[in-house]
Short mmCIF file of all heavy atoms in Angstrom, two decimals:
data_model
loop_
_atom_site.label_atom_id
_atom_site.label_comp_id
_atom_site.label_asym_id
_atom_site.label_seq_id
_atom_site.Cartn_x
_atom_site.Cartn_y
_atom_site.Cartn_z
N PRO A 27 108.62 85.93 66.40
CA PRO A 27 108.96 86.57 65.12
C PRO A 27 109.06 85.57 63.97
O PRO A 27 108.61 85.86 62.85
CB PRO A 27 110.32 87.22 65.41
CG PRO A 27 110.34 87.43 66.87
CD PRO A 27 109.60 86.28 67.45
N LEU A 53 113.88 83.36 48.82
CA LEU A 53 114.56 82.59 49.88
C LEU A 53 115.22 83.47 50.93
O LEU A 53 115.83 82.95 51.86
CB LEU A 53 115.61 81.68 49.24
CG LEU A 53 115.09 80.59 48.31
CD1 LEU A 53 116.26 79.84 47.69
CD2 LEU A 53 114.17 79.64 49.05
N LEU A 249 72.27 72.82 70.38
CA LEU A 249 72.77 71.70 71.17
C LEU A 249 74.16 71.30 70.71
O LEU A 249 75.05 71.05 71.54
CB LEU A 249 71.81 70.51 71.05
CG LEU A 249 72.24 69.24 71.81
CD1 LEU A 249 72.35 69.54 73.30
CD2 LEU A 249 71.25 68.10 71.55
N ALA A 257 83.04 70.70 75.07
CA ALA A 257 84.22 69.88 74.77
C ALA A 257 85.49 70.72 74.82
O ALA A 257 86.53 70.27 75.31
CB ALA A 257 84.06 69.22 73.40
N ALA A 273 103.62 70.01 87.58
CA ALA A 273 104.34 71.05 88.32
C ALA A 273 104.51 70.71 89.79
O ALA A 273 105.50 71.08 90.41
CB ALA A 273 103.63 72.39 88.17
N PHE A 391 71.45 97.69 85.24
CA PHE A 391 70.05 97.33 85.46
C PHE A 391 69.13 98.24 84.65
O PHE A 391 68.17 97.76 84.01
CB PHE A 391 69.70 97.44 86.95
CG PHE A 391 70.42 96.45 87.82
CD1 PHE A 391 70.66 96.73 89.16
CD2 PHE A 391 70.85 95.24 87.30
CE1 PHE A 391 71.31 95.82 89.96
CE2 PHE A 391 71.51 94.32 88.10
CZ PHE A 391 71.74 94.62 89.44
#
Side-chain angles (χ1 to χ4, degrees):
L53 296 176
L249 178 60
F391 294 154

